[in-house]
């Protein structure tokens, strides 16, 4: 009974990119994920999201550890108010030396397509395919992603 | 009990009174002013104390968590 | 003890909020009642600290000094004027002022002075699981020279759906109180020693609550609660008058049942009307087997003028019926088992007006100043001023 109800509630959500699914060509072009065999880490965040504020410095650290010919990190800022988002990004760049590419998604077009179940959500993508999704605040996320990177080598 | 509340949740969603809030749409719900304490937990504690000591009722004053799922 | 500042432990579980943040806040409360009754000055501090993403620790401490006078019946000295008997708390406030078979014209109603110091603290740990369900455990203590209280509480919050728009919480708390009651034995009421006795009381509180996000700017939360109090629930400083035949009367300690079962429900609705304006409305119903029944309604309006200025206006209304064993007159009680003339057990209503302002100098540092005016139909009026700061680190 509980499962049926849960499924019914889930069904009300639109479909999402799940592990194993292939991203549309439009999305690949829009996010710039076209290099084959390169591992892309797409991280959705917002300035008002407390857990994102904890996660992003770790992702920035990770970005400095990886080989950029193999791994690329892309941030997607979903702030509705672009001014708030840009101020937040500036803060991250100054205080946490965050240097990876950030795409602004004020209209929720990108995140609406990915449709994650929580914030922050991080997608690991290779050859247009979603190979891992990490949702919600996660301790030591940098190390967890490094493990995925090693697995994919 | 969980089933009861799930049914209620489903009913509310289907009836249209309640709209599904996406995780990236919770900026407003995560605001301090949406919390029962309005962002000042100590002030709220003092208020509850005073009412508890001047009135004959108690209970219901404090429940954990706010109205959001942003963590 | 007069202003028994020990809340049921459940009420203390409230700081774990939507956005975990590291902060320390200091708040200073100044509370003053009319007619020079109770006056409280209370500094307090709270610290909130995250450990990783799965644990949040919240600790708070308050020290308060309560002085003033509390109204009750007392037996005036034969030569006394209408002024209240002055005793210090250490020798047991109303111990002096009781008596059996005294002249009826010695029965007075007035303020009995006291002074209290209290220290209270609370520690709360929130743990989050992989599905972001939360388990909150807390411990509290409160200590006065004649009253000790410790309590523990646990609450589990479960997200009903992966989208985290509905949650169900179940909480229980247990509180154990130790009360030093003087003059329990009415006959051998020794003024200096007060013939004190240690009394125990316990309180169990259970609560179930449901939260639903209605849309991206509003949510509703409803709860049902049950409270069981057992043990010594009498206020050792309050008196009643028995067997007043107009010539003689007895002024003796009040007596309440050793058991109280209460239950009720609350509902709260919060709506961000605009980006700057938030409205909250709450209601509570309470009822118990002492026949106290109450309704509480409150509303708060928050206005963010700029990033720095935030204004808050609040209004609260309260109404309760009297406990079955309450009577406020001096010639009512005879041999009833339970009797109280405590105004707090009477039939009354009250209104609170609230206003406060917060100014943030930076994202990390803000100061606040606010005031409450409380007006009870029993004649009690109180003003409280709260000022403090918060630092996010």
């Amino acid at each position: 009974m509980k499962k049926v109800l849960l499924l019914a509630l889930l069904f009300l959500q639109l479909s999402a990119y799940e592990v194993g699914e292939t991203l549309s060509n439009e999305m690949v072009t829009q996010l710039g994920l076209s290099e084959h065999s390169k591992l892309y880490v797409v991280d959705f965040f917002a300035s008002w999201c407390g857990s994102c504020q904890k996660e992003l410095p770790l992702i920035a650290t990770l970005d400095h550890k990886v080989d950029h010919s193999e791994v690329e990190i892309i941030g997607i800022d979903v702030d509705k108010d672009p001014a708030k988002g840009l101020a937040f990004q500036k803060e991250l760049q100054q205080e946490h030396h965050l240097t990876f590419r950030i795409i602004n998604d004020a209209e929720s077009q990108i995140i609406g397509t990915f449709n994650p179940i929580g914030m922050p959500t991080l997608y690991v993508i290779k050859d247009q395919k979603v190979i891992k999704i990490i949702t919600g605040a996660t301790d030591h996320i940098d190390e967890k992603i490094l493990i995925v990177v090693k697995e994919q080598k | 009990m969980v089933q009861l509340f799930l049914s209620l949740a489903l009913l509310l969603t289907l009836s249209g009174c309640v709209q599904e809030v996406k995780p990236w749409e919770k900026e407003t719900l995560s605001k301090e002013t949406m919390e029962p304490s309005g962002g000042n937990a100590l002030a709220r504690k003092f208020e509850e104390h005073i009412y508890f000591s001047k009135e004959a009722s108690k209970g219901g004053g404090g429940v954990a968590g706010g109205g959001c799922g942003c963590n | 003890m007069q202003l028994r500042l020990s809340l049921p432990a459940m009420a203390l579980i409230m700081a774990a909020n939507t956005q975990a943040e590291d902060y320390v806040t200091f708040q200073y409360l100044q509370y003053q009642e009319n007619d020079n009754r109770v006056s409280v000055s209370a500094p307090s501090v709270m610290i909130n600290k995250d450990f990783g993403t799965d644990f949040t620790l919240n600790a708070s401490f308050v020290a308060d000094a309560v002085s003033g006078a509390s109204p009750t019946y007392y037996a005036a000295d034969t030569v006394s004027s209408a002024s209240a008997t002055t005793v210090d708390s250490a020798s047991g406030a109303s111990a002096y002022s009781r008596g059996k078979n005294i002249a009826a014209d010695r029965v007075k109603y007035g303020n009995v002075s006291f002074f209290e110091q209290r220290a209270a603290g609370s520690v709360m740990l929130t743990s989050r699981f992989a599905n972001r369900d939360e388990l909150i455990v807390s411990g509290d203590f409160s200590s006065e020279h004649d009253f000790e209280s410790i309590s523990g509480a646990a609450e589990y919050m479960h997200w009903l759906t992966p989208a985290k728009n509905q949650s169900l919480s179940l909480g229980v708390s247990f509180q154990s109180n130790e009360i030093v009651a003087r003059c329990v034995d009415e006959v051998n009421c020794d003024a200096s020693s007060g013939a004190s006795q240690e009394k125990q009381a316990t309180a169990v509180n259970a609560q179930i609550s449901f939260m639903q996000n209605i849309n991206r700017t509003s949510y509703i939360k409803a709860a049902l609660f049950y409270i069981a109090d057992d043990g010594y629930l009498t206020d050792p400083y309050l008196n009643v008058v028995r067997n007043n035949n107009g010539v003689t009367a007895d002024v003796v300690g009040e007596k309440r049942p050793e058991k109280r079962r209460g239950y009720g429900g609350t509902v709260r609705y919060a709506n961000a009307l605009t980006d700057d304006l938030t409205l909250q409305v709450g209601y509570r119903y309470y009822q118990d087997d002492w026949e106290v029944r109450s309704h509480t309604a409150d509303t708060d309006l928050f206005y963010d003028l700029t990033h720095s200025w935030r204004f808050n206006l609040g209004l609260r209304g309260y109404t309760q019926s009297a406990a079955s064993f309450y009577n406020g007159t001096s010639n009512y009680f005879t041999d009833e088992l339970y009797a109280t003339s405590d105004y707090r057990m009477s039939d009354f209503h009250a209104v609170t007006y609230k206003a406060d302002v917060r100014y943030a100098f930076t994202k990390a540092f803000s100061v606040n100043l606010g005031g409450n005016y409380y007006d009870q139909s029993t004649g009690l009026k109180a003003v409280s001023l709260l000022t403090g700061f918060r630092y996010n680190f």
Side-chain angles (χ1 to χ4, degrees):
Chain A
M1 176 67 175
K2 189 181 164 184
K3 284 217 169 100
V4 172
L5 287 167
L6 261 175
L7 278 173
L9 277 167
L10 273 173
F11 193 71
L12 292 169
Q13 297 192 302
L14 291 166
S15 59
Y17 280 137
E18 306 290 354
V19 172
E21 281 184 45
T22 307
L23 269 61
S24 69
N25 290 333
E26 293 79 26
M27 188 57 80
V28 168
T29 312
Q30 188 178 1
L31 302 185
L33 314 177
S34 52
E35 273 186 60
H36 289 289
S37 76
K38 195 168 177 180
L39 203 66
Y40 293 99
V41 177
V42 177
D43 188 20
F44 290 94
F45 67 88
S47 64
W48 48 266
C49 159
S51 309
C52 305
Q53 288 170 21
K54 290 197 193 315
E55 183 185 274
L56 284 162
L58 294 175
I59 303 293
T61 313
L62 172 75
D63 187 43
H64 296 295
K65 282 186 199 163
V66 296
D67 177 351
H68 286 148
S69 65
E70 291 173 353
V71 181
E72 186 184 349
I73 296 169
I74 299 136
I76 316 271
D77 186 335
V78 301
D79 271 287
K80 285 246 175 288
D81 181 351
K84 269 190 205 169
L86 291 173
F88 180 56
Q89 290 164 29
K90 202 173 163 190
E91 200 180 297
L92 287 167
Q93 283 151 359
Q94 283 169 352
E95 288 177 25
H96 301 288
H97 313 290
L98 187 150
T99 50
F100 55 78
R101 184 156 62 94
I102 292 172
I103 299 171
N104 293 302
D105 187 28
E107 302 298 322
S108 311
Q109 181 254 327
I110 303 169
I111 197 167
T113 307
F114 277 78
N115 204 15
I117 57 161
M119 279 273 287
T121 293
L122 194 144
Y123 290 80
V124 182
I125 296 159
K126 193 176 182 184
D127 294 330
Q128 300 201 13
K129 247 187 192 169
V130 177
I131 57 172
K132 177 119 185 143
I133 303 173
I134 301 175
T135 298
T138 312
D139 272 334
H140 309 295
I141 189 145
D142 47 342
E143 290 160 28
K144 282 179 185 149
I145 297 167
L146 273 179
I147 293 170
V148 179
V149 170
K150 276 177 196 150
E151 279 169 4
Q152 292 299 317
K153 270 188 181 172
Chain B
M1 188 59 106
V2 171
Q3 279 173 22
L4 177 78
F5 281 101
L6 268 176
S7 311
L8 193 70
L10 186 65
L11 196 73
L12 285 169
T13 311
L14 290 173
S15 69
C17 303
V18 167
Q19 295 160 14
E20 174 78 24
V21 184
K22 297 290 186 182
W24 58 92
E25 295 175 336
K26 289 183 176 171
E27 174 170 15
T28 304
L29 292 169
S30 70
K31 280 171 75 169
E32 270 183 357
T33 52
M34 293 292 277
E35 296 170 20
S37 68
N40 193 338
L42 269 178
R44 175 68 186 260
K45 257 186 174 183
F46 275 130
E47 271 180 51
E48 294 290 327
H49 254 144
I50 291 166
Y51 295 134
F52 172 66
S53 60
K54 296 291 152 188
E55 296 170 350
S57 313
K58 60 179 181 175
V63 203
C68 166
C70 349
N71 264 321
Chain C
M1 195 47 204
Q2 298 282 348
L3 187 89
R4 194 179 289 182
L5 287 168
S6 60
L7 269 170
M10 283 298 284
L12 300 176
I13 295 193
M14 58 167 63
N17 267 311
T18 49
Q19 272 218 34
E21 220 173 19
D22 293 344
Y23 67 82
V24 56
T25 175
F26 173 86
Q27 300 288 324
Y28 180 77
L29 174 84
Q30 188 68 47
Y31 171 89
Q32 178 67 54
E33 291 179 358
N34 59 329
D35 294 338
N36 291 317
R37 278 156 72 171
V38 175
S39 160
V40 182
S41 121
S44 66
V45 64
M46 178 182 276
I47 184 162
N48 200 70
K49 173 96 184 81
D50 285 336
F51 293 92
T53 54
D54 296 344
F55 298 96
T56 303
L57 187 71
N58 179 283
S60 65
F61 182 79
V62 58
D64 58 40
V66 184
S67 62
S70 194
T72 189
Y73 284 106
Y74 63 98
D77 295 340
T78 37
V79 289
S80 113
S81 63
S83 73
T85 313
T86 303
V87 285
D88 66 49
S89 64
S91 58
S94 50
Y96 289 117
S97 49
R98 289 176 185 169
K100 282 200 169 171
N101 222 4
I102 62 166
D105 59 4
R106 283 179 58 201
V107 174
K108 304 283 180 203
Y109 183 80
N111 290 334
V112 174
S113 306
F114 67 91
F115 176 73
E116 288 285 352
Q117 275 181 307
R118 182 183 77 115
S122 163
V123 177
M124 182 170 89
L125 180 72
T126 303
S127 330
R128 297 179 193 88
F129 301 93
N131 58 2
R132 304 329 275 162
D133 278 8
E134 292 182 357
L135 174 68
I136 303 166
V137 288
S138 72
D140 296 271
F141 80 93
S142 178
S143 173
E144 294 165 52
H145 81 277
D146 56 358
F147 184 77
E148 296 277 340
S149 167
I150 55 161
S151 59
E155 177 161 347
Y156 188 83
M157 191 270 297
H158 173 62
W159 291 112
L160 289 169
T161 58
K164 301 192 188 71
N165 285 314
Q166 294 95 15
S167 71
L168 188 65
S169 302
L170 198 67
V172 284
S173 74
F174 178 78
Q175 185 178 56
S176 166
N177 300 328
E178 227 166 64
I179 304 119
V180 178
R182 289 169 197 277
C183 289
V184 182
D185 178 355
E186 298 292 348
V187 184
N188 300 310
C189 185
D190 180 315
S192 53
S193 74
S196 70
Q197 276 187 25
E198 277 202 356
K199 298 285 187 179
Q200 315 283 331
T202 59
V204 175
N205 189 340
Q207 180 161 316
I208 181 164
S209 57
F210 173 68
M211 188 283 294
Q212 166 78 52
N213 285 334
I214 298 169
N215 53 40
R216 57 177 82 177
T217 56
S218 64
Y219 73 86
I220 192 160
K221 192 166 189 171
L224 294 172
F225 61 91
Y226 174 79
I227 301 166
D229 285 309
D230 288 277
Y232 191 75
L233 306 176
T234 296
D235 189 324
Y237 291 104
L238 296 180
N239 300 330
V240 293
V241 182
R242 289 181 187 260
N243 306 315
N244 187 347
N245 59 18
V247 181
T248 60
D250 303 331
V251 176
V252 295
E254 66 152 44
K255 188 166 170 59
R256 303 183 188 190
E258 301 216 315
K259 191 176 150 186
R260 187 182 189 183
R261 298 288 177 266
Y263 61 88
T266 63
V267 59
R268 175 158 292 272
Y269 170 72
N271 188 351
L273 304 169
T274 69
D275 281 349
D276 313 318
L277 205 60
T278 305
L279 175 75
Q280 288 197 26
V281 185
Y283 170 78
R284 174 182 69 173
Y285 175 77
Y286 171 85
Q287 156 170 358
D288 65 32
D289 57 2
W290 289 3
E291 289 179 22
V292 174
R293 187 181 291 216
S294 74
H295 302 275
T296 313
D298 70 274
T299 179
D300 271 284
L301 198 62
F302 296 91
Y303 178 58
D304 286 307
L305 178 66
T306 62
H307 287 303
S308 298
W309 291 99
R310 172 179 296 162
F311 299 92
N312 170 210
L313 288 176
L315 186 66
R316 176 186 185 268
Y318 174 82
T319 176
Q320 76 172 45
S321 64
S324 56
F325 49 91
Y326 168 83
N327 193 284
T329 55
S330 66
N331 55 358
Y332 175 81
F333 293 114
T334 53
D335 59 352
E336 290 85 353
L337 181 54
Y338 303 119
T340 183
S341 295
D342 182 357
Y343 71 92
R344 290 170 290 197
M345 289 290 145
S346 71
D347 182 341
F348 68 82
H349 55 265
V351 184
T352 309
Y353 306 91
K354 186 168 97 175
D356 78 44
V357 57
R358 185 213 66 170
Y359 180 79
F361 288 93
T362 65
K363 265 177 94 176
F365 184 73
S366 63
V367 294
N368 62 284
L369 174 68
N372 277 19
Y373 178 70
Y374 180 70
D375 187 353
Q376 205 178 72
S377 62
T378 58
L380 170 74
K381 295 183 190 347
V383 172
S384 49
L385 291 174
L386 186 77
T387 179
F389 66 82
R390 170 169 159 151
Y391 177 68
N392 300 331
F393 58 91

